[in-house]
């Protein structure tokens, strides 16, 4: 099987280390699709098709695990190429792997790339799946994004949080730093609806995180 780019993030790391950044950082420029991206996507789809044909499911799954860590710009290409090749189920698996393991910044970048590539439904799905994890991890990830002035990514993460989690669960994401996270969480909730804003505010008060 052809070698794939090395995986630099430890599998299962999720948001680990997201809160350990030393200070503000400039948001990276949006990645552009290059010839290497198109070539690597084509190579993966060809290899994956062969592995499925030969019933080598273990190797196929390992390939999907590695692809989940690929640059965000490749995700729309992967989606389209895999679906054209009849690998829609594998695309769903890859999307889930990315949602479950990518750090916050890369998770949001993948969602952004999918939306920009005409795959808004996949972008929303990866965020919804990605926020189903311990609330304190989401809180630390939000702090890291705020520290890095990643405002768009921060809004996307908290929007998914208040839309998909119960108000009580969403409120718990503010625990790592209520002074900073409560206003951010309430702003995200208000953007969803006035009712969600009041539900989250009530949950924060019950949890002792807001006055």
């Amino acid at each position: 099987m052809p070698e794939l780019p090395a995986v630099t993030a430890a599998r299962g790391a999720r948001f680990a280390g997201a809160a350990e950044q030393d200070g503000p950082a400039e948001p990276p420029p949006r990645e552009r699709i290059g010839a290497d991206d198109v070539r690597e996507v084509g190579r993966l789809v060809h290899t994956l098709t062969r592995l499925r044909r030969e019933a080598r499911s273990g190797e196929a799954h390992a390939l999907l695990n590695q692809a989940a860590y690929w640059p965000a710009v490749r995700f729309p290409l992967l989606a389209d190429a895999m679906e054209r090749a009849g690998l829609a189920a594998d695309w769903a698996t890859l999307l889930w792997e990315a949602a479950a393991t990518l750090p916050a910044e890369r998770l949001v970048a993948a969602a952004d790339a999918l939306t920009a590539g005409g795959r808004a439904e996949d972008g929303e799905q990866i965020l919804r799946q990605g926020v189903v994890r311990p609330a304190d991890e989401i809180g630390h990830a939000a702090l890291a994004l705020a520290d890095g002035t990643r405002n768009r990514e921060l809004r996307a993460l908290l929007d998914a949080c208040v839309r998909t989690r119960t108000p009580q669960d969403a409120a718990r994401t503010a625990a790592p730093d209520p002074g900073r996270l409560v206003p951010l969480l309430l702003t995200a909730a208000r953007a969803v609806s006035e009712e969600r804003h009041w539900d989250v505010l009530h949950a924060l008060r019950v949890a002792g995180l807001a006055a």
Side-chain angles (χ1 to χ4, degrees):
M1 182 174 64
E3 293 184 2
L4 292 172
V7 176
T8 57
R11 178 167 170 72
R14 306 191 178 216
F15 287 163
E20 297 175 4
Q21 297 177 3
D22 294 330
E26 291 298 322
R30 185 184 295 275
E31 295 176 283
R32 296 181 180 277
I33 298 171
D36 286 345
D37 299 309
V38 176
R39 182 164 51 251
E40 289 300 316
V41 167
R43 189 159 65 99
L44 180 140
V45 171
H46 175 78
T47 302
L48 189 58
T49 299
R50 176 173 56 80
L51 291 174
R52 288 304 186 192
R53 186 172 59 247
E54 297 171 359
R56 295 159 64 182
S57 58
E59 292 173 77
H61 193 72
L63 199 64
L64 294 172
N65 289 343
Q66 292 187 52
Y69 290 97
W70 274 8
V73 71
R74 294 181 182 177
F75 275 56
L77 298 176
L78 280 167
D80 293 341
M82 291 173 73
E83 289 183 353
R84 285 197 305 271
L87 299 169
D90 283 318
W91 166 243
T93 298
L94 192 157
L95 204 63
W96 173 254
E97 288 289 339
T101 61
L102 288 180
E105 296 91 337
R106 294 187 64 177
L107 175 70
V108 178
D112 184 56
L114 285 164
T115 299
R119 311 278 310 194
E121 186 174 339
D122 285 337
E124 293 171 4
Q125 180 182 335
I126 199 174
L127 283 177
R128 287 197 304 268
Q129 293 174 337
V131 297
V132 182
R133 61 184 77 198
D136 66 321
E137 292 184 8
I138 297 174
H140 284 301
L143 288 171
L145 290 169
D147 286 343
T149 65
R150 306 286 296 279
N151 295 326
R152 180 189 55 75
E153 292 90 341
L154 175 63
R155 287 195 299 270
L157 183 68
L158 293 181
D159 177 77
C161 177
V162 298
R163 285 181 185 275
T164 61
R165 300 184 77 121
T166 66
Q168 293 74 23
D169 283 344
R172 283 193 282 271
T173 66
D177 190 340
R180 297 176 64 194
L181 290 173
V182 165
L184 294 171
L185 200 62
L186 289 176
T187 297
R190 190 186 293 277
V192 174
S193 71
E194 196 64 30
E195 180 181 5
R196 180 50 59 116
H197 172 262
W198 285 111
D199 287 344
V200 173
L201 177 59
H202 176 69
L204 286 164
R205 287 170 172 168
V206 170
L209 299 171

